[in-house]
Amino acid sequence: MTTAIFTIVAYLIGSISFAVVMSRLFSLSDPRTYGSKNPGATNVLRSGNKGAAIATLIGDAAKGWFAVWLAMRLAGEYGVGTAGIALVAVAVFLGHLWPVFFRFVGGKGVATILGVLLGINVWLGLAVLATWLVVAFTTRYSSLAALVAAILAPIYYGMAFGIDELFFAVVAMSSLLLFRHNQNIANLMSGKESKIGSKSAGAKK
């Protein structure tokens, strides 16, 4: 019962879309109406407002980290095992992808999965972040960086910690992230993918 409560709370935390929240605070257009129409930091950056994009990135990562950190901190007291923590990790990620507060229209989960991985283990999260940064700065494609990082995340976890419930949670989240980037994959293959920093005419500054 306790694990179920933790999982539900994690999903609700994940359902807070910081892209939408920050866009409203900064008086920007709804990120679901321009660019990629994805409510995430990269699309908010297309508005030209770097502050809103950074705030979105931090918020989406922080909610993933907080949900996992809270579950791990209270695991012993409330009898939540590794499987329960794995469920919490997946739940907060699902909340971001399909948020109940925003008619189940969510982001692709890049910042949130990073936060989750940092919550599981700081070094794991930093390894994935470093992978994203190297690919992003080399190619200027945020989506390609996310795809490479998502593929390598389960490999990093397996090499460092072996195969357990959290490994399968990382595999599940990485698979969902790849699925959510199906259009980006098509755009990359056709040479139509937008690069980091490109602006959208539909966004207000």
Side-chain angles (χ1 to χ4, degrees):
M1 182 64 178
T2 302
T3 298
I5 293 174
F6 271 67
T7 303
I8 293 170
V9 170
Y11 171 76
L12 295 176
I13 292 173
S15 290
I16 302 171
S17 178
F18 281 92
V20 177
V21 172
M22 292 303 165
S23 292
R24 290 176 181 174
L25 289 176
F26 283 83
S27 299
L28 303 173
S29 299
D30 190 318
R32 296 168 294 183
T33 64
Y34 64 83
S36 65
K37 295 182 171 56
N38 172 61
T42 300
N43 204 38
V44 173
L45 184 60
R46 293 190 176 102
S47 70
N49 193 314
K50 294 181 180 179
I54 292 172
T56 298
L57 177 66
I58 294 173
D60 282 343
K63 69 184 181 184
W65 171 84
F66 178 71
V68 174
W69 173 84
L70 187 64
M72 295 181 76
R73 184 177 179 84
L74 300 177
E77 183 178 351
Y78 291 96
V80 178
T82 304
I85 295 171
L87 286 173
V88 165
V90 173
V92 70
F93 186 68
L94 290 176
H96 179 79
L97 300 187
W98 294 287
V100 66
F101 303 133
F102 296 93
R103 299 182 180 180
F104 303 102
V105 179
K108 296 177 182 177
V110 178
T112 302
I113 194 174
L114 173 61
V116 169
L117 295 175
L118 287 168
I120 292 173
N121 182 273
V122 172
W123 294 110
L124 172 66
L126 290 177
V128 173
L129 175 59
T131 300
W132 188 93
L133 289 172
V134 169
V135 179
F137 279 97
T138 301
T139 67
R140 290 189 61 212
Y141 286 114
S142 174
S143 57
L144 180 60
L147 293 170
V148 174
I151 291 170
L152 292 178
I155 297 174
Y156 291 159
Y157 185 94
M159 291 175 60
F161 308 108
I163 308 300
D164 59 7
E165 292 92 337
L166 282 169
F167 169 79
F168 290 109
V170 175
V171 170
M173 289 184 290
S174 294
S175 299
L176 285 169
L177 190 147
L178 293 173
F179 169 74
R180 294 284 284 188
H181 280 77
N182 61 338
Q183 185 58 53
N184 300 92
I185 294 172
N187 289 341
L188 285 166
M189 294 179 67
S190 63
K192 298 178 180 179
E193 183 71 350
S194 299
K195 291 189 174 183
I196 296 172
S198 61
K199 295 183 179 180
S200 173
K204 295 186 298 182
K205 291 185 179 180

